Amino acid sequence: MSEIQITITRGGKAGKQYTFNDRTVCVIGRALDCNILLPDDDQHSTISRYHCLLDINPPEICIRDFGSLNGTFVNQNKIGQRDASEDIFRAQGLIYPEYNLHNGDKIQLGDTELEITVVSEGTEKDLVEHTSRLEHKINMAEASQSDPLDKVNKMLQQEDNTDQNELEQELIKGYVIRKELGRGNMGAVYLASHQETRENVALKVMLPRVEASSRAHKQFMRETRNTRLLKHKNIVQVYDIGCHEGTWFFTTDYCEGGSVARLLKSKGGRLPLSLALKIYLQILDGLAYAHQVKVPAIVLADGTTTSGVGLVHRDIKPGNILLTRQEGIWRAKIADFGLAKAFDTAGLSGRTATGVSAGTPYYMPRQQIINFKLARPEVDIWAATATFYKILTGCHPRNYNKRTDPWLTTLKMPPVSIMERDVSVPQNLGEFIDRVLNDKPKLAYQSVRDLKTDLLKVL
């Protein structure tokens, strides 16, 4: 198992070591909630409260400056710093580039120095070869004309000129592609039907940006195994997960209504309170079930197996809430329960968690940045309420703009009262939403049951 070790080699905490063996982000600075907390004294006064951010997915690691006054240096080369004449608030409105770190690199923040050690399963030679091979694969995957998506698109283009029987010869794990439903940074989603049952499903094609090793394959399958346990009317059912001819995919319920994000776009950005509340309550019902489901086999990082209770989504947002018509009524369903996260954690996305292509933490409480792998129900509760806020107002709870580093904004800026966004929101409900989204010093609700009890009192 690979891990990243960060050792403070010079400064007030010299000798202190931090070890990371899972996907996470790590904030370095003098603020009390930083992962690597440096002393708040005269000796460290040149270090900002939130100085820089590390994005860690062993054995990969990268760094980004947060617009610090005195800069971040790697091997004595400056990678980020705001100009001394530049206002701190304007500087925090800039997004500084990320830089890859390697075994033996040294980070300098003022008089403090931190050294990076990458511990891999193989020898040092194996590590060097792995790094070179990984960089090559990422470059080749981005430039390659034989992207798995090209193959799927070619299949679709054949439809106009091919009889249905001939088209059915082109299959992905037994599924016939009908049409494209949408696409994003990590792949595309298609309407497909099973070759034998003719049942319609949504088939999501995942595009690895690096070649899949046996370790990555096993990790992805391990991470996603438990998602198929979820069987609830407000959760999209996952059927097949696998890899066929180099293309990763999974099949799920087909939700013909599309996502809540798409619905918002078609309705001018917001929905009436009655409909928004129905969607919110159904999201909560799905989460209440998932947070209490029995998980018979959890494979830990060391390979051992244990059992547990509850699965946490960690990425609730309007784009992950789908709509389908069942028994004559529209129903909201939570999609992507851990699948995109598993693909990323297995190292198949070839990108960072905090990069522009990975999206932004619009629906994350600040606690999830301080502890990126936080997997407790309160994270989903906050995100579901942030989604409700977005549906009602057309705005995110925090004020973001295109020039603002969203991760720093989430760390430092409080949510805006929903009644400042929309005065028509009933006062009792608005005060309830504000209380849920207030993430300092801690999150207000740890269980959906407690939240729903209080919610019903204000409706």
Side-chain angles (χ1 to χ4, degrees), residues 161-205:
N161 303 316
T162 309
D163 292 338
Q164 188 64 44
N165 289 336
E166 294 176 355
L167 179 63
E168 291 181 358
Q169 314 253 330
E170 297 284 354
L171 303 172
I172 295 181
K173 190 84 172 182
Y175 289 95
V176 182
I177 305 296
R178 300 300 182 190
K179 67 177 180 178
E180 181 179 305
L181 299 174
R183 66 175 66 195
N185 293 321
M186 293 175 62
V189 183
Y190 300 91
L191 173 63
S193 60
H194 195 275
Q195 184 184 20
E196 296 181 358
T197 66
R198 306 291 178 178
E199 181 179 2
N200 284 339
V201 297
L203 186 149
K204 185 164 187 176
V205 177

Side-chain angles (χ1 to χ4, degrees), residues 306-367:
T306 186
S307 60
V309 175
L311 293 175
V312 178
H313 191 287
R314 295 201 297 179
D315 194 23
I316 298 293
K317 57 186 178 182
N320 280 338
I321 308 301
L322 304 184
L323 301 169
T324 186
R325 197 166 184 84
Q326 293 181 344
E327 300 174 356
I329 60 173
W330 284 102
R331 192 180 306 280
K333 292 193 170 205
I334 303 170
D336 277 7
F337 226 106
L339 291 168
K341 174 247 177 191
F343 193 73
D344 193 40
T345 301
L348 295 168
S349 63
R351 58 166 173 76
T352 62
T354 60
V356 174
S357 66
T360 50
Y362 293 155
Y363 302 94
M364 283 187 187
R366 59 190 308 280
Q367 286 81 355

Side-chain angles (χ1 to χ4, degrees), residues 422-439:
D422 187 351
V423 295
S424 70
V425 175
Q427 182 175 347
N428 287 346
L429 178 61
E431 291 174 349
F432 167 82
I433 293 171
D434 288 347
R435 186 167 69 252
V436 177
L437 294 180
N438 181 8
D439 53 4

Side-chain angles (χ1 to χ4, degrees), residues 60-81:
E60 280 78 54
I61 176 172
C62 63
I63 186 171
R64 184 166 84 231
D65 184 77
F66 266 153
S68 61
L69 177 61
N70 294 289
T72 299
F73 295 77
V74 175
N75 301 328
Q76 301 182 345
N77 296 310
K78 182 171 64 179
I79 65 159
Q81 178 185 17

Side-chain angles (χ1 to χ4, degrees), residues 284-429:
L284 294 177
D285 286 345
L287 291 177
Y289 162 80
H291 292 166
Q292 294 297 320
V293 71
K294 292 183 179 180
V295 185
I298 302 173
V299 182
L300 304 178
D302 62 3
T304 60
T305 303
T306 186
S307 60
V309 175
L311 293 175
V312 178
H313 191 287
R314 295 201 297 179
D315 194 23
I316 298 293
K317 57 186 178 182
N320 280 338
I321 308 301
L322 304 184
L323 301 169
T324 186
R325 197 166 184 84
Q326 293 181 344
E327 300 174 356
I329 60 173
W330 284 102
R331 192 180 306 280
K333 292 193 170 205
I334 303 170
D336 277 7
F337 226 106
L339 291 168
K341 174 247 177 191
F343 193 73
D344 193 40
T345 301
L348 295 168
S349 63
R351 58 166 173 76
T352 62
T354 60
V356 174
S357 66
T360 50
Y362 293 155
Y363 302 94
M364 283 187 187
R366 59 190 308 280
Q367 286 81 355
Q368 200 170 351
I369 295 181
I370 298 301
N371 184 359
F372 188 70
K373 59 183 179 182
L374 183 66
R376 292 202 296 262
E378 53 261 44
V379 170
D380 286 348
I381 292 170
W382 195 96
T385 307
T387 297
F388 183 37
Y389 184 113
K390 172 72 170 179
I391 296 171
L392 282 174
T393 68
C395 302
H396 300 110
R398 292 183 172 88
N399 282 329
Y400 297 91
N401 61 66
K402 291 182 179 180
R403 293 182 60 82
T404 299
D405 187 317
W407 295 79
L408 188 59
T409 297
T410 303
L411 274 173
K412 301 190 70 171
M413 301 301 294
V416 177
S417 170
I418 192 169
M419 289 175 285
E420 292 184 30
R421 305 283 200 199
D422 187 351
V423 295
S424 70
V425 175
Q427 182 175 347
N428 287 346
L429 178 61

